[in-house]
Amino acid sequence: MKRVVIKVGTAVLTQDNNIAKERMLNLVSLIAMLKRRYDVVLVTSGAVAAGYSTLKLDKRKQIGKKALAAAGQPILMTAYKKKFDIYDIPTAQILLTEDDFDSRKRTKMFQEIIDAHLENNILPIINENDITSTPEQLFGDNDQLSAHVAHAVGAELLVILSDIDGYYNKNPQEFKDAKLYKSVNELPQSVLVDTSTPNNEFATGGIVTKLKAADFLISRGRKMFLCNGFDLDAAESFLLRDKHELGTLFEPKINKNQS
Ligand code: ADP
């Protein structure tokens, strides 16, 4: 079966410092449908915000953020487990850092774990292990982590579910006349170095980390689809009905030798 990696961000998964249970259930239902057609790997944010529901620490401070992530990770996984149980889908937790992709040996080990899960119909749920890691060992955002995961597991596609319909020519939260790109084949260096623009107080990514993720994948011959995670219609159409309505598809330029 083809493999897809689904990445869901803090904006979609949390609401008022809590897990947005209904949106999580919608995501779980979508994944249950996808599993009939694809091998699915989920990369999820939300641990820090989930931790904040029980522990009021300052997430802007390094130790506060790590303590929140440690408290929130089991809350996040329990919330997922309850929902995947409805569909009889067993889950596994994998916590990774940038270091895990540093050596072939470690990447191979990770690939074999994922293979073992997928062969046994288990859904791997991945998050960055920022609890005991130093900033140098971390990607710092799950957009880039999910791109590395997608590449390492040989995924056909990475789907990033965010709070926007895709990639626009300018920030749609600021400019009403921003235009959505339907498909993008290359990213100029200038858009990859912009300052981060996360929209949610717990978000760490913003559009730049998504573009870096896209750039990483298209330069390796893979695809990424950025779409709305509040309303999953675009993701569903694209993945299950082969229809590209809303959402931005980042894909490599068609190679003449393949056409
Ligand atoms: P997530 O938690 O899903 O990773 P982020 O808040 O980190 O989401 O990133 C998405 C946000 O990036 C959007 O809500 C929007 O405010 C911002 N953004 C800035 N520039 C753009 C752009 N050109 N196109 C789309 N979104 C943009």
Side-chain angles (χ1 to χ4, degrees):
M1 264 207 280
K2 285 179 184 167
R3 290 182 173 185
V4 292
V5 175
I6 310 282
K7 183 261 170 181
V8 62
T10 304
V12 174
L13 264 187
T14 63
Q15 177 101 43
D16 304 326
N17 302 326
N18 264 309
I19 293 171
K21 296 222 168 91
E22 201 181 316
R23 289 206 289 268
M24 186 187 260
L25 183 59
N26 292 340
L27 169 68
V28 167
S29 308
L30 174 67
I31 292 176
M33 285 193 281
L34 293 179
K35 277 182 60 58
R36 293 187 211 134
R37 184 165 173 180
Y38 304 95
D39 278 334
V40 183
V41 175
L42 175 63
V43 177
T44 185
S45 307
V48 175
Y52 198 76
S53 62
T54 48
L55 189 63
K56 302 289 181 249
L57 294 178
D58 188 350
K59 58 157 180 57
R60 287 163 305 180
K61 296 201 172 117
Q62 197 192 38
I63 297 301
K65 191 171 174 216
K66 287 181 184 301
L68 286 169
Q73 185 62 27
I75 300 175
L76 184 66
M77 288 305 293
T78 307
Y80 271 122
K81 184 171 176 350
K82 274 193 192 152
K83 291 170 184 58
F84 278 113
D85 278 351
I86 302 170
Y87 297 95
D88 274 330
I89 298 173
T91 54
Q93 167 183 276
I94 302 181
L95 297 173
L96 296 173
T97 62
E98 187 166 352
D99 274 7
D100 289 305
F101 298 93
D102 263 8
S103 77
R104 281 201 193 160
K105 211 168 152 188
R106 290 177 75 171
T107 309
K108 188 163 177 285
M109 199 163 70
F110 162 67
Q111 287 163 338
E112 286 174 0
I113 296 168
I114 295 287
D115 289 348
H117 284 152
L118 296 177
E119 276 157 25
N120 289 285
N121 207 25
I122 287 174
L123 178 83
I125 303 183
I126 299 176
N127 198 357
E128 188 152 61
N129 181 10
D130 56 12
I131 296 154
T132 52
S133 322
T134 62
E136 301 73 48
Q137 292 171 306
L138 297 169
F139 289 106
D141 65 86
N142 275 352
D143 297 321
Q144 292 179 85
L145 171 74
S146 61
H148 280 75
V149 168
H151 183 53
V153 305
E156 158 110 339
L157 178 74
L158 165 66
V159 178
I160 294 198
L161 300 173
S162 188
D163 60 348
I164 29 148
D165 284 326
Y167 174 41
Y168 291 77
N169 63 343
K170 47 193 166 183
N171 188 351
Q173 318 272 12
E174 279 177 49
F175 300 95
K176 291 282 157 276
D177 63 339
K179 287 199 178 56
L180 181 74
Y181 293 112
K182 189 161 188 186
S183 107
V184 173
N185 299 125
E186 59 186 342
L187 291 154
Q189 202 51 35
S190 57
V191 301
L192 302 173
V193 293
D194 269 340
T195 47
S196 185
T197 51
N199 191 36
N200 171 294
E201 61 166 328
F202 285 100
T204 46
I207 197 67
V208 177
T209 55
K210 290 167 186 59
L211 299 179
K212 283 185 180 164
D215 185 56
F216 176 87
L217 288 172
I218 58 180
S219 63
R220 285 162 181 80
R222 300 192 191 276
K223 295 186 218 168
M224 184 181 116
F225 188 59
L226 173 63
C227 65
N228 202 304
F230 287 93
D231 177 346
L232 294 170
D233 280 356
E236 203 181 310
S237 297
F238 189 72
L239 289 161
L240 294 172
R241 292 193 291 280
D242 302 311
K243 272 200 184 143
H244 183 181
E245 285 155 355
L246 273 179
T248 305
L249 178 63
F250 298 88
E251 60 179 340
K253 271 199 192 115
I254 294 168
N255 185 333
K256 284 194 189 103
N257 299 329
Q258 291 171 345
S259 58

